[in-house]
């Protein structure tokens, strides 16, 4: 057997193993998904899952612990569904994570977290996206222990997606599905700024 | 300086460097984004960018080179916008990538690619998502050279997102932003099957 054939054979056996494990997966319950790492796609993947959930007629909630006060495409798009199955909350207007007023930052993060807690204790809420929560955890503005306790106690069928760099180890341990978005390259390295529809 | 202070200092300098590079990025043009790797989030991130693009009022196109014939949440959700700014095409009904009829597989993949070519030559199309195209490239069902040539010749302001495992090196070389979605863990490993709103 030549190298290529050996490689194909190994890949085939690996695929069979994964297929068997997937076939054995029969449990239905709410999953906790964490998107972390330095690469692109953490938030956009969360919003893609939100679209899927809305497509299935789910009741959904979003809290954005965002880093800027800019208005984004995803907000403009999903706000339309607020009269129906979607609750959409953006952390304190004009909030930038760049203020020198740490007490104000903590208050804004905690106020957003309290909105999230309301969603995470509401059994009629099928899907909750906590966009960029990890930055608030890394900075210690929202206490990790409290977040873990609330996630553990949430309704058993509720899906939760948490995004942001630097997901704490304890959150990764609790999660069902964790992806590290790894940068291979990024357009800004070639002088291209953030583009509407892609980053904004 | 202790270890932790040194680490913080290194991180701060690294962040400053990245911030300066981002500040220098002033070019606006269509970008080619590739989401690859074995982890979750490749397609959902593409659909999140689609939502952003629709939020900005862009004209958008989607071609799904999908692996199954199941109806997905994203399709149910985004089909609603087909009367307006969105063209949505799913490769041949019932197509599974599992048939023993290779000629039929190639014909289905090429028919979907021809729809994609129409979008990629249409300057009124602001954003094009080619979901799971990479699998067709890896299998050689759609010729890579043709795809690269069409991507290179597309309208200069058009954004394109290509998803799927095993992105070819030449496609990565051509792309502006490439992310590898790396599995840290996946719910199926704990016996949980694909969930509506998350995978479906």
């Amino acid at each position: 057997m030549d190298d290529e054939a050996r490689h194909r054979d190994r890949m085939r056996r690996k695929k069979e193993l994964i297929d068997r494990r997937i076939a054995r997966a029969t449990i239905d319950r709410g999953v906790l998904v964490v998107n972390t790492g330095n690469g692109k796609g953490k938030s956009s993947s969360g919003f893609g899952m939100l679209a899927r959930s809305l497509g299935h007629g789910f009741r959904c909630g979003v809290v954005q612990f965002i880093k800027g006060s800019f208005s984004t495409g995803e907000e403009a798009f999903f706000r339309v569904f607020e009269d129906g199955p979607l609750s959409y909350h953006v952390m304190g207007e004009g909030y930038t994570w760049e203020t020198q007023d740490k007490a104000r930052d903590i208050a804004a993060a905690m106020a957003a977290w309290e909105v999230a807690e309301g969603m995470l204790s509401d059994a009629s809420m099928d899907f909750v996206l906590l966009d960029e929560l990890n930055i608030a955890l890394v900075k210690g503005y929202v206490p990790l222990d409290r977040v873990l306790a609330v996630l553990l106690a949430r309704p058993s069928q509720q899906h939760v997606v948490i995004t942001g760099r630097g997901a704490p180890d304890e959150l990764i341990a609790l999660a069902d599905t964790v992806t590290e978005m790894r940068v291979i390259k990024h357009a800004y390295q070639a002088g291209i700024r953030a583009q509407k529809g892609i980053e904004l």
Side-chain angles (χ1 to χ4, degrees), chain A residues 110-196:
Chain A
M110 281 307 294
W113 170 250
E114 275 155 27
V115 175
E117 275 198 4
M119 295 173 177
L120 295 168
S121 64
D122 178 352
S124 77
M125 192 68 87
D126 302 298
F127 175 95
V128 178
L129 169 59
L130 305 176
D131 186 39
E132 300 285 3
L133 174 61
N134 287 339
I135 194 170
L137 294 173
V138 169
K139 283 177 175 275
Y141 289 179
V142 174
L144 179 59
D145 287 352
R146 181 159 161 187
V147 170
L148 296 174
V150 170
L151 288 170
L152 259 172
R154 78 185 196 280
S156 65
Q157 298 303 313
Q158 185 183 70
H159 300 307
V160 178
V161 178
I162 295 176
T163 77
R165 295 176 185 220
D169 290 343
E170 298 90 331
L171 181 63
I172 289 174
L174 184 65
D176 301 293
T177 296
V178 181
T179 308
E180 181 198 349
M181 274 65 176
R182 213 165 70 80
V183 192
I184 306 295
K185 58 168 139 171
H186 196 289
Y188 82 80
Q189 295 163 335
I192 301 168
R193 66 177 156 189
Q195 296 294 302
K196 283 185 184 177

Side-chain angles (χ1 to χ4, degrees), chain A residues 67-116:
Chain A
K67 293 165 303 232
S69 57
F70 50 83
S71 173
T72 59
E74 68 267 14
E75 189 182 346
F77 182 71
F78 285 110
R79 282 272 186 207
V80 173
F81 301 92
E82 268 195 308
D83 288 340
L86 178 64
S87 301
Y88 201 110
H89 182 84
V90 179
M91 184 166 73
E93 211 62 46
Y95 192 80
T96 66
W97 291 114
E98 308 273 344
T99 67
Q100 298 306 306
D101 187 346
K102 194 173 166 182
R104 186 178 158 245
D105 288 2
I106 293 172
M110 281 307 294
W113 170 250
E114 275 155 27
V115 175

Side-chain angles (χ1 to χ4, degrees), chain A residues 6-20:
Chain A
R6 238 191 308 272
H7 175 79
R8 266 203 311 274
D9 196 52
R10 206 164 49 234
M11 288 296 107
R12 188 185 50 71
R13 274 179 288 127
K14 194 176 164 187
K15 183 176 183 305
E16 280 172 9
L17 201 73
I18 293 174
D19 285 350
R20 273 208 301 277

